[in-house]
Amino acid sequence: MHTILILSITKTMKKAKFWGICLMACMALNAYAQQSWTADNGNGTFTNPLFYDEFSDPDVIRVGDDYYLAGTTMHTVPGLVILHSKDLVNWEFASYCFDRFDFTEDKFFLKNHQEIYGQGIWAPAIRYANGQFYVFSNINGKGLQCYTAKDIHGPWTHHNMQGNIYDLSVLFDDDGKIYAIHKYGEVHCTELKPDMSGPVEGTDRVIIPEGNGVGEGHHMYKINGMYYLISTDYSPNGRTLCSRSKNIWGPYETRVISADETYGYHGVGRTIVPRGAKYRIGEDGTKFGVAYASPDATGCDNAHQGGIVQAKNGSWWALLMQDFHSIGRTVCLMPMTWEDGWPMVGLKGNLGRAPRTWYKPDTVLGCYGIDEEAQPIRAPYNRNEDFNGKQLGHVWQWNHNPDDKMWSLKGGRLRILAQPAEQLMWARNTLTQRVIGPKSIATVKLYTKGMKDGDVCGLGNINVPCSWIGVMKMEGQPLMLRSFEQMTNDTTQTPPAITLPAIPANGKIWLRCIGDYDNNQMQYAYSTDGINFQTLGRMMPLTYQLITFQGSRHALFAFNVKGKKGGYAEFDNFTVEEPMADRSQNIPYGKTIRIINKATNRPAIALKHGMLYDTHEGDMSDLTKFKVIDRSLGRVALQCADGRYVKVYGDGLPGDVRFTTDPKEAEMFLWQDYLDHEFMLLSLKNHKYLGKSPTTGSPYSMDFVGPDPARRNGAVLRWE
């Protein structure tokens, strides 16, 4: 594929002026992209994840030249988010399907100790047919829902189809019939009415019986007359499967199309509960309260559940979700290869796995060339908010339906009126946005002069366990600043462990959340001048858990612990800094480096005997020094300090990684950036990775299929 990209550059030399303008436009627009994570590397490649924040249960379609991606929003509103892209890599916000849940029960409003944590609306299927968009999903206790619109930006019409159909895919077949494919293990197919009023009675049938290894998260497609069902099975661990048949009703044959692709990430482990923990009980008996992931949890979760799509150039791609630590579930873009009529995730020679970094579809020098339109490098959201507008930014969502009479945008600030609640998880009108990794710093200015007796307000993490830094006002006492952690204390009525009478007379204070989300930890800080910050409380553990089915979220809140309506809090200038978003210098082009194997912590050495091996840690000889040669489009060659170049012979088995003195014969690798100076080298010959086994005495090889979750199998390297 890289050859095609090079040829496309040559063929467009006569359009040099256009491409020059295109490149300049991309460079100018890259300024914001360097401040917020985007998958686009600006050199014709992308690096997963597409977003370093939560986007669960992705489903994707292409309509003409446009791609649309729908995802889960659970109990938060606005609900059912849709993003838009021109190149599958750079995405922008398009729409929410609804502004509020249009049901009246208390549980949708977080009223009277009723809640829908970990429920709400989830696992959407987006489709385009009959000149309009359809988004199908399930709401717990309400059944199948459908939202339709002529324009992707809305307005959307809600159809309550009811029926016990969930976690579904929908196929509009060639004969005009509409099918829903659903359920776990025993896969069902049910015909739907064209007016979206509900299922067609008597049409529900089992199309894949139990015992065939098929799971859930279905995505049905009809390709060249054949029916293909993409699904995910979680027993005993996550795998992506494809089932195919010549008839919608079967019989189906099934095979695994992706497995063990963790991208070198540990999953969330098991959620465990400490002794003496306190719970809240939902109406269905579900407990939510204190829970956290064990620090020594070793569970991992492979890329799983998502849709596939054919790009405009004919290539096929999978967009699957993966658990990225306490961030939650996010989306990875994976190239696909058709083999013997099966859509396999990955590249020829390494099917079932997919590179973290690969070429964008139809890309030239970071610009997308279809119809001579340069696609800007962009992040989906602007996370910063000055609250000066008439509406909140698209990145914000409320925790359950808010009481719209109890909040406002006024005088360039967000005002939240305090309503009765024992703790943050029960606080109504809590405004949230997803945290973004791998590291970020969120800061907000808080005004406290409107607070009354019993009020608590501040910046929190709406998760299980929840936490916050905030101000408490109690009658007869000075304002107190407190760091709260549900892990160790489940009620604000208990005397706070850490308090500081540090609120200035003007009632203004800055609160900050410092997150290291790849390492599942965060800490709070405060400032009285907006410049000098002091930490408060310990470095807190974080998790992704299946109680709320969401990762960590920043929360702006105000509630009253004395059971009455209180005063109000005002927020201004919410900012998010991402110190690792700019990856433009992550590949050490032109630098001379030492390559350390992460599994052995030993540097690679170019043996005079002719092979790439490793040596003891203190070896600083020239044979342990390599220069990184830029070969464009994210590709590199390695040159030893003695002038020899790394070259791979044969099939890349141990001993096949040797050297050449001819720069034209140097091996071409695609650099895989793992941040913090960690990387992998992908061969463009066999689509496998350079590595050395930590358990054998063999030299380096080019036959590793990918990293293990701990990055300790010998394929992940570190440069210094």
Side-chain angles (χ1 to χ4, degrees):
M1 185 174 180
H2 57 281
T3 305
I4 297 173
L5 292 170
I6 295 171
L7 288 173
S8 66
I9 297 173
T10 305
K11 291 178 181 179
T12 56
M13 287 298 291
K14 63 182 180 179
K15 299 179 181 178
K17 182 178 180 181
F18 162 72
W19 290 118
I21 295 171
C22 176
L23 183 58
M24 290 173 63
C26 284
M27 292 173 64
L29 287 162
N30 198 36
Y32 177 73
Q34 292 177 349
Q35 297 175 32
S36 188
W37 177 277
T38 172
D40 199 324
N41 294 318
N43 62 1
T45 69
F46 67 91
T47 294
N48 284 309
L50 283 183
F51 328 112
Y52 227 114
D53 65 323
E54 189 169 61
F55 196 101
S56 301
D57 305 321
D59 194 28
V60 63
I61 58 171
R62 178 171 66 87
V63 180
D65 291 342
D66 299 280
Y67 302 92
Y68 300 102
L69 183 68
T72 285
T73 49
M74 302 304 291
H75 50 275
T76 54
V77 294
L80 285 189
V81 65
I82 301 173
L83 303 182
H84 166 252
S85 176
K86 285 284 188 179
D87 62 3
L88 281 175
V89 173
N90 294 284
W91 295 83
E92 60 184 346
F93 174 83
S95 183
Y96 287 110
C97 287
F98 59 90
D99 188 52
R100 302 287 189 269
F101 289 107
D102 53 0
F103 300 104
T104 59
E105 291 92 332
D106 285 351
K107 64 181 181 180
F108 292 99
F109 294 84
L110 200 60
K111 292 172 63 176
N112 299 320
H113 276 205
Q114 303 297 311
E115 43 78 26
I116 54 169
Y117 283 117
Q119 301 178 61
I121 194 161
W122 44 277
I126 185 171
R127 293 293 181 262
Y128 182 80
N130 307 315
Q132 65 179 349
F133 293 93
Y134 298 77
V135 179
F136 299 86
S137 194
N138 169 77
I139 295 179
N140 293 75
K142 296 295 181 180
L144 179 60
Q145 312 296 312
C146 178
Y147 300 85
T148 58
K150 296 289 185 181
D151 189 305
I152 196 66
H153 303 98
W156 293 86
T157 301
H158 180 199
H159 310 264
N160 187 349
M161 302 178 69
Q162 302 178 354
N164 186 29
I165 296 177
Y166 59 90
D167 210 4
L168 77 159
S169 181
V170 174
L171 177 73
F172 288 79
D173 211 342
D174 301 333
D175 60 1
K177 292 186 177 181
I178 309 168
Y179 299 102
I181 295 84
H182 54 106
K183 295 194 182 302
Y184 181 89
E186 183 181 82
V187 183
H188 287 234
C189 180
T190 305
E191 189 177 345
L192 302 179
K193 296 178 181 178
D195 62 359
M196 300 298 117
S197 59
V200 176
E201 294 181 4
T203 60
D204 184 83
R205 288 168 53 182
V206 175
I207 60 173
I208 302 178
E210 184 77 33
N212 283 272
V214 178
E216 62 183 8
H218 304 300
H219 297 261
M220 177 66 86
Y221 307 91
K222 190 174 186 180
I223 304 169
N224 297 327
M226 183 77 76
Y227 295 89
Y228 291 89
L229 178 63
I230 309 296
S231 62
T232 293
D233 188 34
Y234 300 97
S235 179
N237 72 332
R239 302 176 313 287
T240 302
L241 306 101
C242 179
S243 305
R244 70 180 186 183
S245 174
K246 294 181 180 179
N247 191 298
I248 186 71
W249 304 108
Y252 285 84
E253 54 179 332
T254 300
R255 67 178 296 181
V256 175
I257 62 172
S258 180
D260 294 332
E261 188 52 84
T262 67
Y263 283 117
Y265 281 86
H266 277 297
V268 296
R270 296 184 180 275
T271 300
I272 63 176
V273 180
R275 183 175 297 175
K278 297 181 179 180
Y279 296 100
R280 304 300 183 201
I281 309 298
E283 65 172 350
D284 60 354
T286 300
K287 295 180 179 180
F288 70 91
V290 180
Y292 72 107
S294 168
D296 59 354
T298 57
C300 65
D301 205 346
N302 306 320
H304 59 290
Q305 191 162 337
I308 67 174
V309 67
Q310 186 177 28
K312 289 171 281 189
N313 68 349
S315 60
W316 282 85
W317 300 80
L319 287 89
L320 305 183
M321 69 177 180
Q322 186 182 0
D323 296 359
F324 267 71
H325 306 300
S326 55
I327 290 167
R329 291 169 164 173
T330 187
V331 182
C332 293
L333 177 63
M334 302 177 168
M336 303 189 78
T337 300
W338 283 84
E339 183 179 77
D340 299 328
W342 294 95
M344 301 295 297
V345 170
L347 303 166
K348 188 173 180 62
N350 194 4
L351 299 178
R353 305 292 295 267
R356 182 172 186 180
T357 298
W358 189 240
Y359 298 108
K360 294 168 53 181
D362 292 341
T363 188
V364 176
L365 295 178
C367 296
Y368 192 64
I370 293 297
D371 298 328
E372 298 192 352
E373 292 181 1
Q375 298 306 314
I377 299 174
R378 59 157 59 95
Y381 302 101
N382 180 1
R383 300 176 185 281
N384 300 329
E385 177 72 80
D386 58 15
F387 300 111
N388 290 335
K390 295 182 179 180
Q391 295 180 329
L392 294 167
H394 298 307
V395 72
W396 294 104
Q397 291 177 292
W398 297 98
N399 178 20
H400 292 67
N401 279 354
D403 183 342
D404 288 321
K405 296 179 181 179
M406 302 295 285
W407 73 274
S408 63
L409 294 173
K410 189 173 184 179
R413 300 175 188 174
L414 167 69
R415 176 178 291 190
I416 300 178
L417 281 66
Q419 300 180 69
E422 303 102 304
Q423 53 116 308
L424 178 57
M425 296 296 287
W426 289 110
R428 300 192 62 197
N429 284 17
T430 296
L431 187 63
T432 75
Q433 69 166 263
R434 299 169 297 281
V435 303
I436 187 165
K439 297 179 180 180
S440 59
I441 302 169
T443 307
V444 69
K445 186 191 300 184
L446 171 65
Y447 295 87
T448 63
K449 282 196 169 182
M451 296 177 66
K452 294 182 179 180
D453 177 40
D455 285 354
V456 181
C457 58
L459 170 67
N461 173 30
I462 190 79
N463 201 341
V464 177
C466 67
S467 63
W468 49 262
I469 184 172
V471 176
M472 299 180 64
K473 182 177 178 64
M474 297 297 168
E475 188 174 3
Q477 300 179 21
L479 288 178
M480 292 187 295
L481 183 66
R482 179 185 175 190
S483 173
F484 171 89
E485 187 181 358
Q486 189 187 19
M487 183 68 233
T488 57
N489 179 11
D490 198 40
T491 172
T492 56
Q493 301 299 328
T494 302
I498 301 174
T499 60
L500 289 175
I503 310 302
N506 61 10
K508 182 169 58 177
I509 192 167
W510 285 260
L511 305 178
R512 172 170 284 182
C513 171
I514 305 166
D516 181 4
Y517 300 107
D518 269 6
N519 291 308
N520 299 320
Q521 57 186 5
M522 57 153 286
Q523 190 166 36
Y524 291 113
Y526 71 96
S527 172
T528 57
D529 60 10
I531 300 173
N532 302 295
F533 282 82
Q534 299 289 327
T535 59
L536 186 63
R538 68 165 180 152
M539 184 70 76
M540 299 181 185
L542 299 174
T543 183
Y544 170 76
Q545 35 65 48
L546 305 185
I547 298 172
T548 66
F549 262 102
Q550 287 185 336
S552 299
R553 284 179 169 246
H554 298 305
L556 305 181
F557 66 88
F559 61 93
N560 187 283
V561 297
K562 293 192 173 181
K564 58 185 180 182
K565 289 185 178 180
Y568 61 86
E570 291 187 325
F571 301 88
D572 197 8
N573 293 334
F574 183 93
T575 62
V576 179
E577 302 171 58
E578 301 177 45
M580 300 181 72
D582 183 0
R583 306 189 306 280
S584 60
Q585 304 300 314
N586 283 19
I587 304 178
Y589 292 125
K591 293 182 179 179
T592 298
I593 64 172
R594 297 173 82 232
I595 299 173
I596 313 299
N597 193 297
K598 187 172 173 65
T600 64
N601 202 36
R602 301 176 70 175
I605 185 170
L607 294 177
K608 292 182 179 179
H609 185 55
M611 286 171 288
L612 188 66
Y613 199 58
D614 63 2
T615 185
H616 59 85
E617 187 175 352
D619 191 339
M620 299 296 291
S621 67
D622 283 350
L623 297 183
T624 66
K625 299 173 184 177
F626 298 86
K627 187 175 183 179
V628 179
I629 310 297
D630 184 1
R631 291 295 173 87
S632 77
L633 296 172
R635 299 168 302 170
V636 302
L638 296 179
Q639 183 184 25
C640 183
D642 67 2
R644 292 178 294 164
Y645 294 86
V646 173
K647 180 181 178 180
V648 180
Y649 296 80
D651 293 328
L653 297 177
D656 275 350
V657 181
R658 300 199 292 275
F659 298 92
T660 178
T661 57
D662 186 351
K664 295 180 181 178
E665 294 182 355
E667 194 71 24
M668 198 101 69
F669 300 103
L670 188 64
W671 187 281
Q672 309 285 300
D673 182 17
Y674 273 81
L675 311 178
D676 288 323
H677 285 211
E678 293 187 6
F679 68 102
M680 294 174 63
L681 292 173
L682 175 68
S683 168
L684 292 173
K685 285 183 179 178
N686 65 1
H687 299 133
K688 293 182 180 177
Y689 301 90
L690 180 73
K692 184 189 184 305
S693 170
T695 59
T696 71
S698 297
Y700 271 83
S701 66
M702 184 55 81
D703 63 351
F704 284 76
V705 297
D708 67 337
R711 306 184 191 177
R712 298 286 182 180
N713 66 337
V716 179
L717 312 171
R718 186 180 78 252
W719 66 268
E720 60 182 35

